[in-house]
Amino acid sequence: MNEIVPSSGRAVSRRERGGFGDFVLRTHASGGLVVQPRMGFSDPDEMRTGLIATKEASATTVGTLTLDSYTRVGDREAARRALRAGLRLNGYPIVEHGAELTRLVLNGVRGPGFPVQVRHGSATPLNIFASLIEAGLDATEGGPVSYCLPYGRVPLAESVRNWARCSEIFARLRETGREPHLETFGGCMLGQLCPPSQLVAISVLEALFFYRYGLRSLSASYAQQTDPAQDREAIFALRRLCAELLPEADWHVVVYAYMGVYPTTPEGSYKLLARAAELAVATHSERLIVKTVAEAHRIPTVAENVAALEYAAAVAAMARPARGPSLTEDTQTYVEARTLVNAVLNLDPDIGRALLRAFQHGYLDIPYCVHPDNRGQTRSYIDGDGWLRWAEIGSLPLSHVVKGTQPRAMTSAGLLDALSYVQRKFDGAAPSAIRRNDLRGKSGHMMLARSPAVNPGSGVS
Amino acid sequence: MNEYAELSSDLADAAVDYSPEGRGRTVVVTSLASDSHTWNLVFLQLFLEELGYDVVNLGPCVPDELLVEECRARRPDLVVVSSVNGHGYQEGLRVIRELRAHGELVDLPMAIGGKLGVGGAQDTRYAEELMVAGFDLVIEEGAGTSAFRHFIESLPQRALP
């Protein structure tokens, strides 16, 4: 019998505050899974329509405001220009729209039965935190590592400082009687090809970071990878580490439907989403972030989001918790993750400095991450059984834990093969060249080219 | 929108046939200022290196000024802009105008590919506008490899000092 430490009911005073985390834990306690879209539109009306549709979907949902990339990188001028020119952004520009407009978007929609989370991906999130707090929101996500290394050029030290400051400010919402909720994005690093033990370790370390800065309502993320059994092992490891290291916090686990190259067929993408919903239920996870059939092509519509939410909820309702690894089993993933977490925590009593030193020493090292503060000595591969494994551990402190790694040269074709492994598996095993030709024929995508040789004024040679 | 450009996957077909013709030539691979995707850049780097090119990978979220600086300093034979986040059209227009405004970069071969707008294949007007603004090649995702191959093959040889 699995022994899952109940993550609810520890702190009545916190429960009384309500909020995002409390809603998710209450839903879980009554046997439900909260499903959530990754939805964001630049137009306030469309955003409101999307939130209402999410709320009214036949599923237990929470709402999402996903911000646009200009806001994410702090380019307010670009966001303003695009809005003035009537161009659609890839998300909701919360800073440009301002608190008053955002309150109107949320008015009558957001409430105790429908909390809303802000999602962004910024390593410089001060303006974003200020805007969301001013708009009355109290749930968001990110992390000093996970919102920095994969996504841009901001030095890790600067991101750690920014996230420390934002976490502190955000935690002070507790003084006003509310319970701010912060989710780690660390379980999703680069979306794919990061071995699960390091995803778990970073997710836990970011949760600890948030806790140290005063937050008490947390969630730890984990993104579906290449194999369901390995994913179950990883999430049980994540739960065990959260239970061991965050005994005083209210926490839950959020599972992300696959974040990498997504299937292009509706059948393939629904199948993959179904596996994610089953994974969430099997591992007693409390929340699931869905993906849609449009994911491989463009930003999904409201209707596509609702369809994905309802489908995931229906699959989850029929799924059963797995017996799987228990909270006391020392699986390979648990041992690796625990070793990484301990090694990092031992580097410095200050967790922010510990994270910085970890990346300097290569105690954390994300495969294929091009950020200058990532050492880039590790490599991963998908083995014959579909498990994501270490090919090279670089300076990770895992030499006594991970056996038999073999450096292998990664070619562009090999990388592409690994990146599209899940897509191929779920779209059917058609040879990729044929499938691409088929797509080309149907879609009528455009390509325009001019030969440099006839480019007017071209005289380089 | 986590999927990196299908441009990349289409290019894989081409890799088989190439001889290392890129030897001694430099390609700058870059994203645009608000685009955080990197798998497309990692793939393009490997792909072009296998063709013998020296690749300078500028990474994600490259501000316009940085791209211009790098082009002026390195004088590459080709710049490949890969954009996946749906802002490729908006930011591509901005950066190409900025770049072409520098006399020495007027002839620099510039290619852009990926998801250029947020609406998928319906955003077809974008390619034409990007060409008019000064790109030499625009590839929307899923468009295939032949034009890109032709384009690389026809790049002028570097004028040696």
Side-chain angles (χ1 to χ4, degrees):
Chain A
M1 181 70 192
N2 274 328
E3 293 245 278
I4 299 302
V5 172
S7 43
S8 53
R10 272 192 295 267
V12 174
S13 61
R14 284 207 280 281
R15 301 286 311 266
E16 284 165 357
R17 296 162 186 260
F20 188 94
D22 179 57
F23 176 81
V24 174
L25 290 178
R26 274 190 287 119
T27 303
H28 187 68
S30 62
L33 174 72
V34 171
V35 290
Q36 180 179 2
R38 302 160 77 226
M39 185 191 279
F41 303 106
S42 45
D43 179 64
D45 289 324
E46 196 176 2
M47 192 68 251
R48 182 174 167 83
T49 305
L51 287 168
I52 292 171
T54 302
K55 187 179 184 177
E56 291 175 352
S58 307
T60 308
T61 56
V62 290
T64 303
L65 288 177
T66 298
L67 308 189
D68 69 292
S69 319
Y70 292 139
T71 301
R72 188 177 61 72
V73 296
D75 191 349
R76 297 189 54 178
E77 180 51 35
R80 255 198 300 270
R81 259 201 315 267
L83 289 175
R84 268 203 304 268
L87 290 168
R88 290 187 73 197
L89 298 174
N90 58 5
Y92 182 81
I94 195 168
V95 179
E96 274 342 288
H97 280 342
E100 201 179 326
L101 183 54
T102 301
R103 281 179 189 275
L104 285 174
V105 167
L106 299 169
N107 185 35
V109 186
R110 176 176 172 269
F114 186 67
V116 172
Q117 185 193 36
V118 174
R119 313 182 55 81
H120 52 97
S122 180
T124 54
L126 282 153
N127 280 335
I128 293 171
F129 270 89
S131 295
L132 73 91
I133 290 170
E134 201 188 339
L137 288 156
D138 50 22
T140 185
E141 48 113 39
V145 174
S146 61
Y147 265 18
C148 176
L149 289 188
Y151 291 131
R153 327 185 67 77
V154 175
L156 184 61
E158 195 183 323
S159 178
V160 168
R161 272 199 305 278
N162 291 338
W163 273 94
R165 181 137 179 252
C166 287
S167 302
E168 239 165 9
I169 293 168
F170 197 47
R172 280 171 47 195
L173 275 182
R174 306 186 70 233
E175 295 163 15
T176 67
R178 280 147 70 196
E179 190 62 60
H181 181 87
L182 203 42
E183 170 198 321
T184 70
F185 194 65
C188 307
M189 297 295 293
L190 262 65
Q192 57 190 127
L193 296 189
C194 182
S197 59
Q198 190 168 228
L199 295 177
V200 168
I202 295 176
S203 203
V204 169
L205 287 163
E206 288 192 326
L208 282 167
F209 181 92
F210 295 154
Y211 186 84
R212 300 267 169 94
Y213 283 100
L215 288 144
R216 295 295 176 261
S217 177
L218 304 166
S219 43
S221 67
Y222 179 79
Q224 179 185 21
Q225 300 293 323
T226 52
D227 181 84
Q230 188 181 28
D231 285 340
R232 285 196 294 275
E233 189 175 299
I235 296 173
F236 280 117
L238 178 62
R239 296 199 79 92
R240 180 171 166 192
L241 284 167
C242 284
E244 288 167 348
L245 299 169
L246 293 161
E248 300 298 320
D250 279 343
W251 56 267
H252 69 260
V253 167
V254 52
V255 174
Y256 282 68
Y258 192 61
M259 302 278 284
V261 178
Y262 217 69
T264 55
T265 63
E267 304 76 39
S269 61
Y270 272 122
K271 237 189 292 176
L272 183 53
L273 177 58
R275 294 300 90 78
E278 288 160 1
L279 174 66
V281 174
T283 52
H284 311 253
S285 299
E286 292 88 347
R287 181 159 58 98
L288 172 72
I289 309 265
V290 304
K291 278 218 174 187
T292 71
V293 290
E295 221 65 50
H297 312 290
R298 58 180 159 72
I299 295 209
T301 62
V302 170
E304 286 160 346
N305 272 295
V306 170
L309 291 167
E310 293 182 342
Y311 178 74
V315 172
M318 289 186 299
R320 291 288 165 263
R323 292 182 61 82
S326 76
L327 266 185
T328 51
E329 192 178 328
D330 288 343
T331 61
Q332 178 69 20
T333 310
Y334 172 80
V335 172
E336 286 180 28
R338 174 90 217 193
T339 305
L340 291 172
V341 169
N342 283 347
V344 174
L345 292 178
N346 284 334
L347 285 171
D348 199 294
D350 176 272
I351 189 163
R353 275 202 299 271
L355 285 169
L356 281 177
R357 293 187 61 190
F359 279 97
Q360 281 159 7
H361 293 311
Y363 281 19
L364 295 172
D365 189 347
I366 318 298
Y368 310 106
C369 170
V370 297
H371 194 287
D373 290 331
N374 187 60
R375 278 201 147 186
Q377 293 176 330
T378 61
R379 285 289 178 263
S380 58
Y381 73 104
I382 301 168
D383 76 8
D385 297 325
W387 283 48
L388 196 43
R389 304 275 194 195
W390 292 108
E392 296 177 47
I393 58 169
S395 304
L396 296 178
L398 295 179
S399 50
H400 61 292
V401 179
V402 177
K403 301 288 175 211
T405 56
Q406 276 182 352
R408 39 189 89 204
M410 183 53 96
T411 62
S412 63
L415 178 68
L416 197 62
D417 218 47
L419 286 171
S420 57
Y421 172 85
V422 168
Q423 184 189 59
R424 282 199 314 277
K425 187 166 142 188
F426 284 86
D427 273 344
S432 53
I434 292 173
R435 202 178 64 243
R436 279 200 292 276
N437 287 337
D438 289 349
L439 277 178
R440 199 143 59 220
K442 279 183 226 146
S443 62
H445 287 292
M446 282 190 66
M447 160 146 44
L448 296 174
R450 87 165 60 99
S451 161
V454 296
N455 189 355
S458 171
V460 182
S461 55
Chain B
M1 290 255 292
N2 203 355
E3 288 60 43
Y4 68 103
E6 274 183 36
L7 161 68
S8 304
S9 75
D10 291 322
L11 295 185
D13 292 345
V16 185
D17 306 337
Y18 272 113
S19 55
E21 64 193 42
R23 193 161 295 142
R25 293 166 153 205
T26 302
V27 181
V28 165
V29 171
T30 185
S31 61
L32 293 166
S34 81
D35 197 330
S36 62
H37 294 81
T38 57
W39 287 116
N40 46 325
L41 306 177
V42 173
F43 173 81
L44 280 168
Q45 174 168 4
L46 288 173
F47 174 78
L48 289 162
E49 282 172 353
E50 285 159 16
L51 299 184
Y53 289 92
D54 294 324
V55 176
V56 179
N57 185 346
L58 298 184
C61 295
V62 177
D64 297 0
E65 315 81 64
L66 177 65
L67 179 57
V68 170
E69 267 168 40
E70 291 284 339
C71 289
R72 293 178 75 177
R74 296 179 190 272
R75 305 304 304 269
D77 296 276
L78 167 68
V79 175
V80 179
V81 178
S82 181
S83 180
V84 194
N85 74 348
H87 287 177
Y89 161 73
Q90 300 173 29
E91 295 197 84
L93 276 186
R94 191 185 66 212
V95 79
I96 192 70
R97 286 172 183 153
E98 171 77 26
L99 213 127
R100 294 296 189 216
H102 291 81
E104 71 268 41
L105 303 179
V106 163
D107 298 324
L108 172 61
M110 293 281 302
I112 184 169
K115 290 179 207 289
L116 303 174
V118 297
Q122 71 214 32
D123 292 333
T124 46
R125 71 198 156 95
Y126 294 157
E128 241 174 88
E129 285 188 46
L130 287 163
M131 289 294 285
V132 169
F135 277 101
D136 301 292
L137 177 75
V138 179
I139 305 177
E140 295 207 39
E141 56 164 343
T145 56
S146 57
F148 187 76
R149 297 174 61 171
H150 177 73
F151 180 77
I152 312 189
E153 281 163 9
S154 62
L155 284 177
Q157 291 295 326
R158 181 197 282 274
L160 295 168

